């Protein structure tokens, strides 16, 4: 490393993750960022303008909020001079904001950065079809009443049916596979059955429900209030009453009739935001802060988009190898639950001798990651996956979980649409 500066995660909050239910939700990406940003900044012993910069991950930026990082920073009262920029690497955007902040502080270019992620998938746009755009272009270019009338008669019923932008966004443009189809590929390669995927999903819901009830998330999740004063206090997609039998009644979504991926064992489409405060040792001392965890290192990897779900394996393994860590050295794991089959395929890959030797360059298999160490308070299957936010949430929650459980070291990692993966190592302080 180029410098010995240590970087700490000192605090963070997120909104409840709100399930998309067929219409626009009450909050835009910036609304969400402000909702959890205000209480976070209010409980700090320093002014809002004490940060060096603001970095926000966001994938579906809406037209009224270009560069949502800057809009959020201004609405949070962080001052006109606050440098703020938005990053986008699909599902890794919220982690990318932390990583950029981590590297900037580590090299000595900043002392304190607000890094977050915000996504309102319910506000994803409807998009005109290409031939509808061509028709509208012809109408705009028509000169005179006769040409206008001639073009007007060329309209077709299909021109009035828009394309759901989110559906296209979740389809890889290189392979033309949806994200769910890539999970089906992994399920086939690694022998993940429908029962295995449904069992994992049920456990995710039960773990989140328990964490909501026992107060584990109280300091992390801040209530959000809409313009009518309605309060949203908890992730609202959790279904603790789920059973393997009930989930088994759902039809496969992507590969009918024999596929493994259903609406019940895939991540939920949600709106939500998350922030983390990263600081140098000098900033910690100056402001008398109490860090939650130290960010040790990070890694990004890329792979075939058709098996993008193996991104956690491809990014976390070289990261751990670089530091001489093995499976036994990691106390907690946060692997973003894009799909139950995808997470289970990652676990299977790490247990497979041949895969680990030929693909990862290890002498033996990485080993079995205990379910008692993995996503111990649930994950995206039960609470949702607002794309630009999830990577930020899993880092924040990992830091809090390390502290709560009195253990030392954890890994947060995720797969990224387009065939990439990101991973970070945190150590409790």
């Amino acid at each position: 490393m180029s410098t010995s500066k240590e970087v700490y995660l000192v605090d963070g909050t997120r909104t409840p993750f709100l399930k998309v239910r067929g219409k626009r939700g009450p909050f835009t990406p910036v609304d969400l960022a402000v909702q959890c940003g205000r209480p976070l900044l209010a409980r700090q012993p320093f002014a809002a303008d004490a940060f060096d910069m603001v970095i926000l991950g966001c994938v579906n930026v809406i037209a009224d909020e270009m560069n949502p990082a800057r809009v959020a920073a201004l609405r949070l009262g962080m001052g006109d001079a606050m440098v703020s920029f938005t990053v986008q690497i699909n599902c890794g955007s919220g982690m990318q904001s932390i990583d950029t902040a981590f590297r900037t502080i580590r090299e000595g270019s900043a002392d304190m950065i607000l890094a977050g992620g915000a996504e309102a998938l319910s506000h994803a746009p409807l998009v005109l079809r290409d031939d509808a755009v061509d028709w509208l272009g012809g109408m705009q270019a028509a000169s005179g009443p006769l040409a206008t009338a001639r073009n007007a008669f060329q309209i077709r019923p299909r021109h009035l049916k828009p394309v759901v932008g989110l559906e296209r966004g979740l389809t890889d443009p290189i392979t033309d596979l949806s994200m769910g189809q890539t999970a089906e590929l992994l399920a086939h390669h690694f022998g993940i059955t429908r029962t295995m995927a449904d069992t994992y999903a049920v456990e995710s819901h039960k773990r989140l429900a328990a964490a909501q009830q026992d107060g584990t998330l109280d300091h992390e999740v801040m209530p959000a209030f809409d313009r009518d004063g309605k309060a949203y206090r908890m992730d609202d997609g959790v279904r603790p009453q789920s059973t393997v039998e009930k989930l088994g009644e759902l039809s496969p979504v992507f590969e009918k009739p024999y596929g493994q991926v259903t609406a019940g064992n895939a991540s939920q489409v949600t709106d939500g935001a998350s922030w983390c405060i990263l600081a140098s040792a000098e900033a910690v001392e100056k402001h008398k802060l109490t860090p939650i965890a130290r960010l040790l290192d990070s890694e990004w990897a890329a792979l075939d988009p058709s098996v993008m779900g193996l991104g956690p394996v491809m990014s976390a393994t070289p990261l751990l190898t670089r530091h001489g860590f093995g499976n036994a050295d990691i106390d907690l794991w946060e692997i973003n639950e894009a799909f139950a089959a995808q997470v289970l395929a990652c676990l299977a890959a790490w247990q497979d001798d041949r895969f680990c030797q030929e693909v990862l360059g290890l002498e033996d298999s990485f080993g079995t990651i205990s379910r008692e160490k993995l996503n111990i308070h649930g994950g995206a299957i039960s609470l949702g996956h607002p794309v630009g936010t999830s990577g930020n949430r899993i880092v924040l929650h990992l830091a809090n979980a390390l502290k709560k459980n009195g253990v030392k070291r954890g890994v947060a990692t995720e797969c990224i649409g387009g065939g990439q993966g990101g991973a970070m190592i945190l150590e409790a302080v």
Side-chain angles (χ1 to χ4, degrees), residues 83-154:
V83 174
S84 312
F85 58 93
T86 303
V87 294
Q88 205 272 61
I89 182 174
N90 285 343
C91 315
S93 302
M95 182 179 286
Q96 178 65 69
S97 71
I98 294 176
D99 189 52
T100 302
F102 163 65
R103 294 171 186 271
T104 302
I105 294 172
R106 189 180 67 177
E107 71 177 19
S109 298
D111 279 307
M112 198 159 59
I113 297 176
L114 182 64
E119 200 75 64
L121 293 177
S122 67
H123 288 251
L126 298 175
V127 182
L128 290 175
R129 299 170 185 272
D130 290 343
D131 55 356
V133 174
D134 293 340
W135 176 79
L136 285 171
M139 290 296 293
Q140 291 288 331
S143 179
L146 184 60
T148 300
R150 186 183 301 116
N151 277 279
F153 278 110
Q154 293 177 4

Side-chain angles (χ1 to χ4, degrees), residues 131-202:
D131 55 356
V133 174
D134 293 340
W135 176 79
L136 285 171
M139 290 296 293
Q140 291 288 331
S143 179
L146 184 60
T148 300
R150 186 183 301 116
N151 277 279
F153 278 110
Q154 293 177 4
I155 190 171
R156 298 292 182 266
R158 67 177 181 274
H159 295 162
L160 303 177
K161 185 178 180 181
V163 176
V164 179
L166 182 60
E167 180 179 337
R168 292 309 303 158
L170 294 177
T171 301
D172 183 78
I174 305 301
T175 64
D176 204 34
L177 295 175
S178 69
M179 297 299 99
Q181 288 174 306
T182 68
E184 291 284 12
L185 272 176
L186 292 182
H188 172 73
H189 284 311
F190 290 95
I192 308 303
T193 67
R194 172 69 181 275
T195 299
M196 292 166 65
D198 287 345
T199 300
Y200 183 95
V202 168

Side-chain angles (χ1 to χ4, degrees), residues 234-251:
M234 295 193 299
D235 309 306
D236 64 0
V238 62
R239 299 186 299 273
Q241 73 282 2
S242 289
T243 64
V244 174
E245 291 73 25
K246 288 181 180 178
L247 291 187
E249 297 172 0
L250 299 176
S251 298

